[in-house]
Amino acid sequence: NLQTAVAPTSTGVAEVGVETTRTHFALSAGGGELGGAIDARDNILTGFLDQIDQWTGGVINEFNKVYSSGEGLRGYQSVTSEAFVSNTTAALNAAGLAFTPRHGSFQLKTVNAATGAVTVSNIAIDLDGLGGIGTDTSLVDLSVAIDALDNVTASITSDGRLQINAAAGYEVRFGNDTSGALAALGINTFFTGSSSDDIGINALVAADQRYFASGRGGGPSDNTNALELAQILDRPVDALNGVSVDQFYTNLVGTVAQAGSAEQTLADGSLNFRDALKAQREQRSGVSIDEEAINVMELQHNYQAAARIISTIDELLNTLLQI
């Protein structure tokens, strides 16, 4: 008996194989309709999905890098990073994050909720690699640096996430991130996830729009960050091969259309070739209506001639018997 076996893949496309229920040897198709379907899945569809994931990741990271430098109408009492690292002592640019931070810094602001007084602290992200092994900023280093500030505490959760808590009566806000660390860790971001498989919107922002980081500390009428966000579609992005988000999408759509047209042309050519071979086979093995009609007419004439001979012989015999 045959049965299907579904296995997950890194591309997000489920790999379906066929195997026997007794031997469990996977069967591979090298040609035919089944082979064509498998080839289309592995070599055509997967390539398009990879490009879509690349485009989606570029949108997520570029948007979040700008967004994380802004602030909304209210700050955070507590915020936990969306991303996690398995090795909290590894440098952030080598910790396996989906998006890689770089050497730079970001601002952490503690706001007194009663008076509105703001204390701005600059958090350095040392990722230049100049100090040797162990000197570049790790998640542990970042937690220690934030925890040393007044009116704020930081810790690492059991699953490798950075958690920042404001003291009672205070809020935490962020700004001017030149390192991309906030976007890479998923702190003060709009999008969650890293590809088309897991892209989402920060649940806190979706539930309360006052958290949307439209400004950069200029009050309720400040929309400088929102204006900056509106420009990201036209900026060159390193992760998208140096083209803009909008241009990469246009190229992707054009590539899909061109590839689809080429595959349709190949399919039409193969169909025409198959029809030609089928016609040749029918010419050799099929029945010709005209030829069979002629054969039937010949048999009918032979029957009529034989009947006439028999009738003549019968008449002769009758004549002889009457003599």
Side-chain angles (χ1 to χ4, degrees):
N1 296 328
L2 297 179
Q3 66 181 16
T4 58
V6 181
T9 65
S10 60
T11 62
V13 180
E15 181 175 336
V16 181
V18 180
E19 62 185 19
T20 61
T21 56
R22 291 187 178 181
T23 61
H24 295 284
F25 289 129
L27 302 178
S28 60
E33 185 174 352
L34 180 58
I38 292 176
D39 181 70
R41 181 201 67 187
D42 294 341
N43 300 321
I44 300 175
L45 179 60
T46 299
F48 293 152
L49 291 179
D50 289 342
Q51 288 184 298
I52 292 174
D53 282 340
Q54 183 183 2
W55 178 79
T56 306
V59 172
I60 292 173
N61 192 32
E62 290 304 309
F63 193 95
N64 282 345
K65 283 197 298 185
V66 175
Y67 181 90
S68 60
S69 290
E71 58 183 82
L73 297 178
R74 63 183 306 178
Y76 301 97
Q77 292 295 322
S78 177
V79 60
T80 303
S81 65
E82 291 286 340
F84 67 90
V85 298
S86 56
N87 185 359
T88 58
T89 61
L92 289 177
N93 57 357
L97 293 169
F99 305 113
T100 305
R102 58 185 182 274
H103 186 75
S105 64
F106 66 85
Q107 291 178 344
L108 189 148
K109 307 174 184 179
T110 53
V111 183
N112 188 311
T115 65
V118 180
T119 301
V120 180
S121 302
N122 196 62
I123 307 298
I125 304 296
D126 184 2
L127 296 175
D128 57 10
L130 298 179
I133 299 176
T135 59
D136 285 349
T137 302
S138 66
L139 194 65
V140 169
D141 297 330
L142 182 57
S143 175
V144 170
I146 295 174
D147 193 61
L149 303 177
D150 293 333
N151 301 313
V152 63
T153 59
S155 60
I156 299 176
T157 64
S158 59
D159 59 350
R161 303 174 193 269
L162 178 65
Q163 186 176 67
I164 302 172
N165 296 308
Y170 286 85
E171 293 179 343
V172 173
R173 304 190 182 200
F174 302 90
N176 195 29
D177 184 9
T178 62
S179 66
L182 294 175
L185 290 170
I187 296 175
N188 192 39
T189 54
F190 181 79
F191 287 115
T192 61
S194 60
S195 69
S196 57
D197 282 339
D198 57 1
I199 184 175
I201 296 176
N202 189 316
L204 192 62
V205 178
D208 189 345
Q209 286 73 34
R210 289 176 298 175
Y211 284 103
F212 182 79
S214 59
R216 293 190 171 177
S221 62
D222 182 9
N223 65 346
T224 53
N225 207 45
L227 294 176
E228 189 77 10
L229 290 170
Q231 305 299 318
I232 69 167
L233 295 179
D234 301 320
R235 293 178 178 176
V237 180
D238 292 338
L240 299 181
N241 306 321
V243 301
S244 66
V245 171
D246 188 52
Q247 185 60 49
F248 189 90
Y249 176 78
T250 300
N251 294 344
L252 176 59
V253 172
T255 300
V256 171
Q258 184 178 6
S261 177
E263 293 299 326
Q264 185 63 52
T265 301
L266 289 174
D268 292 341
S270 298
L271 183 61
N272 293 334
F273 182 65
R274 186 203 67 177
D275 292 341
L277 293 177
K278 184 177 179 181
Q280 292 180 16
R281 184 190 67 178
E282 291 178 349
Q283 287 177 0
R284 294 182 177 274
S285 62
V287 176
S288 173
I289 301 300
D290 295 338
E291 184 178 349
E292 294 302 321
I294 293 174
N295 291 336
V296 170
M297 292 176 64
E298 289 180 353
L299 291 173
Q300 184 178 8
H301 290 160
N302 291 338
Y303 174 80
Q304 291 174 350
R308 210 173 270 182
I309 292 173
I310 293 172
S311 177
T312 302
I313 293 174
D314 184 60
E315 289 178 1
L316 289 173
L317 289 175
N318 288 334
T319 302
L320 289 174
L321 290 174
Q322 292 175 1
I323 294 176

